Amino acid sequence: MAEGTRHDAWQAGDSYDLYMGRWSRQIAPPFLDWLDPAEGLDWLEVGCGTGALSAAILARRNPTSLMSIDPSEGFLAKARANVPDKRVEFLAGDAQALAVESGSKDMVVSALVLNFVPGKQKALAEMRRVARPGATIGFYVWDYPGGGVEFMRAFWTAATALDPAAIDLTEDRRFPFCKMD
Ligand SMILES: C[S@@+](CC[C@H](N)C(=O)[O-])C[C@H]1O[C@@H](n2cnc3c(N)ncnc32)[C@H](O)[C@@H]1O
C-alpha cells in the first residue's frame, strides 16, 4: 500500500460521517458559493465519500446531471443512503483513471481528496481530460501545515506529547502539499 494511504481506511461510512462528514457538510456550501456556477450543468465529483458535496450540489445548483465517484463501496453505500436523489449516480471509480467520457463535464470538483491520491498529477490530468472546453475544475483540501483542522491538531498535539515518534503520522507531515499556494 502506498505510504500516503497507509493509515486511511475508507469503508465505515457511519464512523466517517460522525468524524469528518459533519465538517464536510459545512465546507461544501461555501465552496459552491465561491465557485458560483450556473444552474443546470453536467457535474462530476471525484472522491465523493459519503456524499457531503454531492448533496450540496443537488440542493444549491440544480445540476442537469451529477456523477459522483469513489473507490470505497462502503462510502458509496452510505452516500446512496444519505442522498436519495435521482439526479445523482454514485459509482465506483479512481481519480487516477476516470471511467468518464472525455470533454463531457461542465463542472469537475473534488473535496478533501487529492492528498490521499498517490498520483495527484494523474488525477488532475484526468479531471482536465473529462472537462469540456470552458469548464470549471475546482478542489479543496484542509490547510494542514497552516493549522489544519483544530480537533485533529488537538489530538495530535496530545498524542505526540505522549509519544514523540507519532510526529510522522501527523497530517502536516504526511500532506505537506496542502498549502494555500
Ligand atoms: C476525507 S474523504 C472526503 C470525502 C468527501 N469528498 C467529503 O468531503 O467528505 C477522502 C475520500 O477520498 C476517497 N479516495 C481515496 N483515494 C481515492 C482515489 N484514488 N480516487 C478517488 N477517491 C479517492 C476516499 O475513498 C474518501 O471517500
Side-chain angles (χ1 to χ4, degrees):
M1 186 179 286
E3 184 68 13
T5 57
R6 191 178 47 182
H7 308 287
D8 305 303
W10 306 121
Q11 288 304 322
D14 287 333
S15 306
Y16 178 82
D17 265 359
L18 288 170
Y19 169 65
M20 183 54 71
R22 60 205 172 113
W23 301 106
S24 304
R25 285 191 286 278
Q26 291 189 43
I27 191 70
F31 170 67
L32 292 177
D33 289 348
W34 174 71
L35 277 184
D36 196 23
E39 295 200 359
L41 301 175
D42 293 316
W43 289 69
L44 171 69
E45 187 194 347
V46 179
C48 60
T50 56
L53 178 55
S54 291
I57 292 166
L58 292 163
R60 302 168 84 92
R61 293 298 157 185
N62 190 25
T64 300
S65 70
L66 170 58
M67 182 188 289
S68 298
I69 67 111
D70 199 283
S72 164
E73 290 293 350
F75 276 21
L76 288 168
K78 184 71 181 166
R80 291 182 188 112
N82 280 348
V83 192
D85 189 309
K86 288 196 169 63
R87 292 170 296 173
V88 60
E89 264 186 306
F90 289 107
L91 300 170
D94 183 336
Q96 298 156 110
L98 295 170
V100 179
E101 194 183 330
S102 298
S104 62
K105 303 296 174 190
D106 303 303
M107 300 296 298
V108 183
V109 291
S110 187
L112 309 176
V113 172
L114 273 189
N115 46 311
F116 299 109
V117 179
K120 291 174 197 29
Q121 295 197 358
K122 191 99 205 301
L124 288 166
E126 278 291 87
M127 291 168 79
R128 188 164 71 175
R129 178 183 65 76
V130 304
R132 289 191 174 118
T136 296
I137 300 172
F139 72 90
Y140 53 94
V141 292
W142 297 122
D143 177 13
Y144 293 111
V149 189
E150 273 183 49
F151 77 88
M152 295 170 92
R153 170 69 50 159
F155 170 82
W156 286 113
T157 299
T160 51
L162 292 170
D163 178 3
I167 191 81
D168 287 334
L169 303 178
T170 60
E171 280 81 7
D172 48 343
R173 290 281 180 105
R174 295 175 58 209
F175 307 129
F177 103 100
C178 292
K179 291 189 287 205
M180 290 296 280
D181 56 357

